[in-house]
Amino acid sequence: MVLCAEPPPKLKIPIPSEITEMTEDANHDSPKLEKRTRIHHIERHRSCVVTLSDMELNDSDPRRLLQTLEVSKSPGGGSQCSLHEETPTDTNSSHRHAITDAAWEALKRSIVYFRGQPIGTVAAIDKSQGAALNYDQVFMRDFIPSALAFLMKGEHLIVKNFLVETARLQSREKMVDLFKLGQGVMPASFKVHHRNPTQKTESLLADFGETAIGRVAPVDSGLWWILLLRAYTRLTGDNSLAESPNCQRAMHLILRLCLSEGCDTSPALLCADGCSMIDRRMGIYGYPIEIQALFFMAMRCALSMLKQDSDADFVSHITKRIKALSYHLHSYYWLDFQRLNDIYRYKTEEYSQTALNKFNVIPESIPDWIFDFMPGRGGYFIGNVSPARMDFRWFCLGNFIAILSSLATGEQAEAILDLVEERWEELIGEMPLKICYPAMENQEWQIVTGCDPKNTRWSYHNGGSWPVLLWLLVAVSVKLGRPHLARRAMELMERRLAKDDFPEYYDGKAGRYVGKQARKFQTWSVAGYLVAKMLLDDPSHLRIIALEDDGHSRFRAPCLKRSNSCP
Ligand code: GLC
């Protein structure tokens, strides 16, 4: 049963005790919840959000708190809200509290039930948009921040159910037309299908790419699944789920897909466009950094969870691939000022082992923007590398997962954050965070996206700003002991996120505008904020989403010397 029949009322102010009550009861259903709770629905002018929400934090009696609110007429005739004796710090913290409460409220509304059990969260509940399209489904990748929020809050059941049910879905036969997909493929999304509403028979309908736009299977789903299984295991201290035959099998199948032999000369995973968070044509086909970083992290997580009696060859295969992938990404994806200068001076048409320009990248193909964008201090893993092609775009998710997984060396991790600091305007702007930078425009947009009207410049996947990415920025800032960066981004987000009803993405160079076609009450925007907040409040949560450096990152980029194999 889906708990989200109605969109969350705007700026409803929950009473803190009810928040706790709701989160502690994983089996609640919507009507009961409505009766049980005494949530005050207060529709009000947006400018009052801060002061209204201040109320519940400093006092648990909402009536008394309401008395502290003074609604006065401004000289211009408009309403204006203020609280007595408020210091700026109180205002900030109570504003934050109100956002958090609104976010928990929205997250709870997004919970999806299957046979009476919570199993996930819908992508968005935006009744203002006509067709729900597939936003009424539980997306695997979208559920990750929800799951982390639930875990950090002590709600494990929904995460366990999700892991168990999706492992079951994986074992289904998956067909696209007449072609049978690999066993290990995990769904992009699923929904509860009510076969017979009177008998209350429910089943799960999954989409493995066969109904998705572009018909692409999600390569990231399985990798995220492994990351989540580890997070669950770390947080609960309960190994029994990870050790269960179904979970061991699911891990094997996911990784066997990725490790299968082919004609490739690269240890990176070859992917189709649209196989991950950027699920439309955006020129990320080939070996996108997002997938490579997730693959690296998933292999490391799996090694920590595969049972002792696992197939030794399989384990050794994973270990070797981790090293090869790490070497590859460090050697060919890492870019900083020095390396850019080296590539700029590349010779082409090199042959043999001594070639420096191994992929035959023509220096003239280096885009102009990168020369200005690259700061003296900082660096990052570029988007993609394949023959004669380096995609110099910055992709946020891949770089931050590289830090969390310790694919990036300590130095590189610092350099990535240095870059974020140096290029704050471009990468964070007014609303964190840019999914990629820069946007493609004009003819490049036409050719690369296939004239995608949703991915116009500085919108959606094409340089749009995605609030969900905040949790990753906070996680890496906490990991590197630079929480001021996280706070700075949080503050920016808190100015708008709840007021704008938790949009899916923002548009514009600085991310100032709510996205053209962005859904409101997008669950991962909600959950991403909550995870970010909980991580900042309690950095020990980091242990469930980060891996320590165990030496893989010693595979540094080889020092470039002049090649002796160029003509
Ligand atoms: C969009 C996003 C995708 C997300 C889905 C559901 O298609 O690009 O990453 O999973 O919406 O929110």
Side-chain angles (χ1 to χ4, degrees):
M1 180 178 64
V2 181
L3 189 68
C4 43
E6 297 296 325
K10 289 191 176 166
L11 300 165
K12 198 164 80 170
I13 301 189
I15 301 160
S17 58
E18 289 162 352
I19 293 280
T20 320
E21 187 187 346
M22 288 185 283
T23 53
E24 279 168 9
D25 180 3
N27 287 320
H28 60 266
D29 60 35
S30 175
K32 269 198 242 150
L33 189 88
E34 288 302 324
K35 272 191 227 143
R36 210 171 44 206
T37 55
R38 293 175 299 117
I39 291 172
H40 288 215
H41 295 249
I42 304 174
E43 290 285 0
R44 63 232 191 263
H45 192 278
R46 299 246 191 258
S47 63
C48 297
V49 179
V50 173
T51 45
L52 274 174
S53 29
D54 291 339
M55 299 182 305
E56 77 234 59
L57 301 160
N58 304 327
D59 197 317
S60 57
D61 179 352
R63 283 156 307 178
R64 235 184 76 199
L65 287 165
L66 272 167
Q67 285 159 12
T68 66
L69 178 76
E70 180 194 327
V71 180
S72 59
K73 289 276 174 206
S74 69
S79 288
Q80 158 189 317
C81 309
S82 66
L83 275 181
H84 294 299
E85 294 171 5
E86 281 268 305
T87 65
T89 323
D90 289 340
T91 311
N92 286 347
S93 83
S94 49
H95 175 48
R96 187 163 297 144
H97 232 294
I99 301 171
T100 311
D101 291 348
W104 277 117
E105 179 73 9
L107 185 61
K108 280 190 285 287
R109 282 175 184 279
S110 72
I111 295 175
V112 172
Y113 285 82
F114 177 54
R115 298 180 184 162
Q117 293 287 319
I119 49 156
T121 49
V122 281
I125 310 172
D126 186 355
K127 289 278 155 101
S128 68
Q129 302 262 349
L133 299 175
N134 51 358
Y135 283 87
D136 60 353
Q137 305 204 10
V138 180
F139 275 75
M140 302 263 308
R141 71 178 72 88
D142 293 41
F143 184 64
I144 302 303
S146 298
L148 295 176
F150 287 125
L151 285 176
M152 290 175 186
K153 186 84 175 166
E155 297 254 340
H156 311 150
L157 183 66
I158 186 170
V159 180
K160 184 176 185 177
N161 291 340
F162 172 88
L163 288 164
V164 169
E165 290 302 334
T166 45
R168 281 205 188 112
L169 289 175
Q170 184 198 35
S171 59
R172 289 197 183 162
E173 191 178 82
K174 309 162 260 258
M175 299 286 291
V176 176
D177 297 332
L178 301 181
F179 181 63
K180 193 170 158 197
L181 298 191
Q183 264 190 301
V185 176
M186 280 282 191
S189 62
F190 62 86
K191 67 176 174 190
V192 178
H193 176 60
H194 302 267
R195 265 181 297 164
N196 184 339
T198 49
Q199 286 174 12
K200 299 207 164 119
T201 40
E202 293 176 344
S203 58
L204 292 181
L205 277 186
D207 173 19
F208 294 92
E210 72 274 33
T211 54
I213 293 173
R215 299 289 184 268
V216 184
V219 179
D220 62 341
S221 285
L223 305 172
W224 279 120
W225 187 91
I226 294 176
L227 267 55
L228 184 59
L229 181 63
R230 175 183 173 273
Y232 174 87
T233 309
R234 289 281 285 180
L235 194 117
T236 58
D238 171 15
N239 295 328
S240 63
L241 181 66
E243 288 181 357
S244 68
N246 284 351
C247 286
Q248 290 285 311
R249 181 171 182 274
M251 268 189 287
H252 268 86
L253 288 177
I254 294 164
L255 289 182
R256 275 199 198 289
L257 262 189
C258 306
L259 295 168
S260 58
E261 287 175 3
C263 294
D264 222 329
T265 51
S266 159
L269 265 186
L270 185 59
C271 302
D273 228 344
C275 67
S276 59
M277 176 179 181
I278 297 180
D279 56 0
R280 297 163 81 98
R281 185 172 149 192
M282 263 290 290
I284 57 155
Y285 64 90
Y287 306 90
I289 185 64
E290 168 171 341
I291 293 295
Q292 313 315 324
L294 282 171
F295 179 31
F296 179 85
M297 186 150 182
M299 286 193 286
R300 287 200 60 201
C301 289
L303 278 186
S304 70
M305 294 186 292
L306 286 169
K307 282 170 73 175
Q308 295 294 323
D309 56 4
S310 289
D311 175 359
D313 282 351
F314 185 58
V315 171
S316 133
H317 203 161
I318 296 176
T319 314
K320 285 184 184 151
R321 189 64 172 263
I322 288 175
K323 290 185 181 163
L325 181 61
S326 166
Y327 180 87
H328 183 82
L329 297 172
H330 283 244
S331 308
Y332 310 121
Y333 280 64
W334 182 253
L335 190 77
D336 54 19
F337 181 80
Q338 183 55 50
R339 228 174 123 60
L340 177 60
N341 208 156
D342 293 335
I343 296 166
Y344 173 68
R345 287 165 49 78
Y346 264 166
K347 303 284 171 252
T348 56
E349 319 301 326
E350 291 181 286
Y351 179 74
S352 90
Q353 293 294 344
T354 57
L356 284 184
N357 183 3
K358 295 207 170 79
F359 296 98
N360 199 33
V361 173
I362 319 291
E364 282 66 32
S365 71
I366 304 174
D368 288 343
W369 64 265
I370 187 70
F371 294 107
D372 294 331
F373 178 75
M374 181 57 77
R377 189 177 79 107
Y380 66 106
F381 290 100
I382 62 170
N384 218 313
V385 176
S386 58
R389 175 178 175 237
M390 290 178 92
D391 180 350
F392 289 91
R393 280 177 294 173
W394 151 267
F395 288 88
C396 169
L397 204 156
N399 275 280
F400 289 169
I401 293 288
I403 298 179
L404 290 181
S405 62
S406 288
L407 164 66
T409 60
E411 244 173 63
Q412 287 171 332
E414 296 289 351
I416 293 170
L417 279 195
D418 287 345
L419 178 96
V420 171
E421 251 185 323
E422 295 281 327
R423 293 289 171 253
W424 190 265
E425 293 291 303
E426 290 88 344
L427 304 181
I428 310 287
E430 291 188 29
M431 176 53 72
L433 290 77
K434 281 263 171 298
I435 191 169
C436 66
Y437 182 90
M440 290 177 292
E441 314 186 36
N442 307 323
Q443 206 189 8
E444 189 185 16
W445 163 78
Q446 287 177 357
I447 295 169
V448 177
T449 72
C451 301
D452 188 339
K454 219 174 156 182
N455 272 333
T456 49
R457 62 180 180 165
W458 307 114
S459 181
Y460 199 43
H461 302 138
N462 188 8
S465 301
W466 291 65
V468 60
L469 298 169
L470 178 73
W471 79 265
L472 285 157
L473 173 65
V474 172
V476 297
S477 311
V478 169
K479 185 172 186 211
L480 297 181
R482 292 162 78 166
H484 63 280
L485 276 184
R487 285 203 197 96
R488 211 172 140 195
M490 285 280 279
E491 273 164 27
L492 279 174
M493 187 167 288
E494 283 165 347
R495 285 186 204 157
R496 303 260 320 256
L497 194 68
K499 203 169 86 155
D500 293 341
D501 292 338
F502 300 95
E504 181 184 12
Y505 61 94
Y506 286 77
D507 283 358
K509 253 188 174 169
R512 287 180 72 192
Y513 299 93
V514 173
K516 215 178 353 179
Q517 294 191 44
R519 302 272 147 171
K520 299 285 186 81
F521 294 103
Q522 179 81 20
T523 304
W524 67 359
S525 300
V526 169
Y529 173 75
L530 289 172
V531 174
K533 168 106 189 11
M534 285 188 277
L535 268 169
L536 261 182
D537 290 349
D538 180 0
S540 74
H541 286 313
L542 193 67
R543 75 199 161 90
I544 70 169
I545 44 175
L547 295 170
E548 287 304 313
D549 188 350
D550 68 349
H552 298 299
S553 34
R554 67 178 172 273
F555 299 102
R556 306 293 309 277
C559 214
L560 291 181
K561 289 186 255 101
R562 265 190 95 70
S563 161
N564 54 14
S565 58
C566 50

